[in-house]
Amino acid sequence: KKSFCHYLSRISKMILKTMNIICLLFSSISLVSAFSLIASKNQRSIRYGGIAEPTFRSPEQAGTSGATISMFLGQGRKSSQKKSIQTDTTKIGDITIPSIGIGTISWSSDSLTSLENLELQSLVSTACRENAAFFDTAERYGSRFKTALGLGWGETEMLIKKMVEEEKERALVATKFTPSPWRTTPDSVVEACRQSCKRLGVEKIDLYQLHMPDIVKPLRIFGFAQESLDEVYWEGLAQCYHEGLVSNVGVSNYGPTLVTRCQQYLKKRGVPLASNQIAYSLLGRGNGAQETVDKCNELGVKVLAAFPFAMGILTGKYNSQSSSTVAEGTITSLTNNCKTKLEIKDLNRYAKGDGKSIPEGGAAPLLSAMESIAKRRNKTVAQIALNYCICKGTVPIPGARTQAQLSDNLGAMGWRLTPYEIKLLEREADQLGFEFEGAGFKRTSEKFVGYGVEKWTLD
């Protein structure tokens, strides 16, 4: 018995020693892991200029008010992703729209004699099916050739009417009135609105906008002073609203001062100002754009962000090093590009730099940061660009001509960038030393108006 007890005692002591050794090993491993993590964080902090290491949080913690999101950071099944896209919405006046719109400035018919385009029909059907059918157009949009000559007014409106004919209940359409020298009364706005209703095939337009401030003054070049008609057009919007021709009214290319004046004028007429459409993107926050967004957010006026891709620069199509972060529709558009040679020349200058007005390397540092985030999130660079605009409280209106482009755009919905990622992207953009101001004859703060070019400022 004594021998057996002694044997058990020795075994117990050996087991205890073994457990102590194992505990010591685990403690050592934990200490090494902790030091490695601290070193890793320090390295990342140095790499990003001292910006705090990101903490991935829920969409609600990341500040996604105004949108119901059921998926974050790519988690969940496809059905969950589809649900999150359909519920990622925002309000403009009294209508609820998807957080990303569809620009139609590049839409045109494939036929010279009729309004037909099978690719666009497929796009529209998909948008309606996904509850993402918010189309932004204008009375002056038509085929590329006609629009350049100031012709083809209303052509795109009629094309939209035909495309959404079977999906009227699911489609929301915003269109625009173009201030012109021959339109000098409130009644001219009302009549133009009636014509847009007729071309769109609706009794009431969801959102009716002024296309720009009253800047078209042809007699000015001869020294004649011409009074601004902005208030005349505001009165026209008010009459359209009270006559039941429109559900909501908005403006375009108004800076903080003008948008405030317009809202005050319409408020006296009992009309809420719902929106203001301006050029806005990661590359286009200067020249009063960010100040305008901030003022509109303060006033409760929703900003529609035109040029959210900076005409393609922020999709990575001009200098991306990784095809995995460039959308399929973007790659296709490289070989089927409808941009002019002058536009492509300017865009390549933005993307790669010229060593003069744009430093060598162009937008490459910003795109590199966007690609890094895109890879980590399993997103495309274009989706990062759109999601940034959403995070800043705007509704991006990217142009889309194909179903592939639309599908990629919709992938920017249902999730949000973190505050850390937004700060990193803005820092990279600010360090570039230039702003996107348009390419070729398409400019963010000016328009070719037949007799020359007229400009405006967001002041």
Side-chain angles (χ1 to χ4, degrees):
K1 288 183 180 179
K2 288 182 179 180
S3 177
F4 180 71
C5 290
H6 180 70
Y7 178 70
L8 285 178
S9 176
R10 289 186 62 186
I11 291 176
S12 299
K13 288 180 179 179
M14 289 177 65
I15 291 173
L16 287 172
K17 285 183 179 180
T18 304
M19 291 179 66
N20 287 333
I21 292 171
I22 291 172
C23 290
L24 184 60
L25 284 172
F26 273 112
S27 298
S28 300
I29 291 170
S30 298
L31 284 172
V32 170
S33 298
F35 283 122
S36 297
L37 182 60
I38 292 170
S40 176
K41 284 189 174 183
N42 286 337
Q43 288 175 354
R44 281 191 286 266
S45 180
I46 292 169
R47 191 192 320 156
Y48 295 123
I51 297 177
E53 178 70 11
T55 301
F56 292 101
R57 301 172 293 174
S58 68
E60 291 75 16
Q61 289 173 319
T64 58
S65 58
T68 304
I69 303 171
S70 61
M71 182 193 70
F72 189 62
L73 290 179
Q75 298 175 353
R77 299 177 181 176
K78 289 184 178 179
S79 59
S80 176
Q81 182 177 10
K82 184 175 181 180
K83 181 180 179 182
S84 68
I85 290 173
Q86 292 179 342
T87 56
D88 194 349
T89 59
T90 190
K91 294 278 289 185
I92 291 185
D94 67 355
I95 58 174
T96 299
I97 65 168
S99 292
I100 294 176
I102 301 172
T104 65
I105 191 171
S106 61
W107 285 20
S108 62
S109 174
D110 288 337
S111 171
L112 293 175
T113 58
S114 62
L115 297 172
E116 296 177 5
N117 190 312
L118 295 178
E119 186 71 61
L120 288 178
Q121 185 64 71
S122 177
L123 180 155
V124 170
S125 298
T126 299
C128 291
R129 187 171 62 250
E130 298 291 340
N131 290 329
F134 174 57
F135 304 100
D136 179 70
T137 189
E139 62 176 359
R140 71 184 296 273
Y141 290 175
S143 68
R144 188 177 183 83
F145 178 72
K146 290 180 181 178
T147 301
L149 296 176
L151 305 172
W153 283 46
E155 194 172 272
T156 303
E157 289 180 328
M158 291 186 287
L159 185 61
I160 290 175
K161 173 189 175 182
K162 183 172 183 179
M163 296 292 178
V164 304
E165 205 159 12
E166 297 181 2
E167 302 280 0
K168 268 188 178 182
E169 298 303 316
R170 295 188 177 187
L172 295 166
V173 179
T175 192
K176 307 181 194 75
F177 166 89
T178 302
S180 308
W182 62 88
R183 291 172 159 174
T184 59
T185 66
D187 286 343
S188 63
V189 181
V190 176
E191 178 57 29
C193 184
R194 288 198 179 100
Q195 292 301 316
S196 285
C197 284
K198 183 178 179 180
R199 288 189 292 263
L200 289 168
V202 298
E203 294 183 359
K204 180 182 286 190
I205 295 170
D206 298 305
L207 176 63
Y208 195 53
Q209 309 157 92
L210 299 181
H211 208 145
M212 55 189 172
D214 180 35
I215 59 171
V216 184
K217 304 292 184 184
L219 297 181
R220 199 157 41 197
I221 61 176
F222 299 108
F224 292 97
Q226 290 184 274
E227 184 180 353
S228 170
L229 297 175
D230 286 323
E231 290 195 8
V232 171
Y233 297 142
W234 300 344
E235 179 60 29
L237 287 180
Q239 290 186 20
C240 289
Y241 183 85
H242 287 304
E243 289 186 25
L245 294 172
V246 302
S247 296
N248 301 278
V249 301
V251 293
S252 304
N253 301 306
Y254 276 31
T257 302
L258 203 53
V259 77
T260 301
R261 282 182 52 207
C262 180
Q263 187 192 49
Q264 291 172 347
Y265 181 95
L266 291 175
K267 185 177 181 180
K268 292 177 182 177
R269 296 283 283 110
V271 180
L273 178 62
S275 67
N276 180 25
Q277 186 167 161
I278 64 170
Y280 184 80
S281 71
L282 254 173
L283 268 180
R285 296 178 295 120
N287 301 323
Q290 187 59 59
E291 290 83 355
T292 300
V293 170
D294 294 341
K295 173 55 73 172
C296 286
N297 287 341
E298 175 189 325
L299 296 173
V301 176
K302 181 61 69 173
V303 170
L304 304 183
F307 295 102
F309 291 144
M311 291 181 69
I313 296 171
L314 295 178
T315 65
K317 67 189 287 184
Y318 291 99
N319 54 0
S320 176
Q321 301 299 312
S322 173
S323 61
S324 65
T325 59
V326 181
E328 176 189 344
T330 299
I331 296 173
T332 304
S333 71
L334 285 171
T335 57
N336 188 24
N337 203 322
C338 68
K339 290 183 172 61
T340 66
K341 290 183 178 179
L342 183 57
E343 288 171 356
I344 293 174
K345 180 181 178 181
D346 282 346
L347 292 172
N348 278 315
R349 184 169 57 87
Y350 280 118
K352 301 170 184 177
D354 59 7
K356 300 175 183 177
S357 59
I358 297 177
E360 291 292 346
L366 173 60
L367 286 165
S368 178
M370 293 174 73
E371 285 186 5
S372 177
I373 295 172
K375 286 179 180 178
R376 187 168 65 220
R377 286 181 168 273
N378 195 26
K379 297 293 180 181
T380 65
V381 171
Q383 290 167 353
I384 300 300
L386 292 179
N387 198 269
Y388 171 81
C389 292
I390 297 173
C391 288
K392 301 300 284 188
T394 75
V395 178
I397 310 291
R401 300 191 312 274
T402 68
Q403 188 171 347
Q405 290 173 341
L406 172 66
S407 296
D408 189 70
N409 292 347
L410 296 184
M413 296 166 64
W415 57 280
R416 294 294 184 269
L417 293 165
T418 65
Y420 162 81
E421 290 169 325
I422 292 171
K423 187 174 182 180
L424 174 62
L425 291 172
E426 289 180 341
R427 195 200 69 170
E428 292 294 342
D430 291 341
Q431 290 180 348
L432 293 178
F434 66 90
E435 289 279 332
F436 176 74
E437 297 178 347
F441 289 105
K442 290 182 181 177
R443 316 304 295 183
T444 59
S445 59
E446 61 185 55
K447 285 191 184 295
F448 178 72
V449 290
Y451 59 86
V453 173
E454 291 284 10
K455 302 180 180 180
W456 63 84
T457 56
L458 296 176
D459 58 11

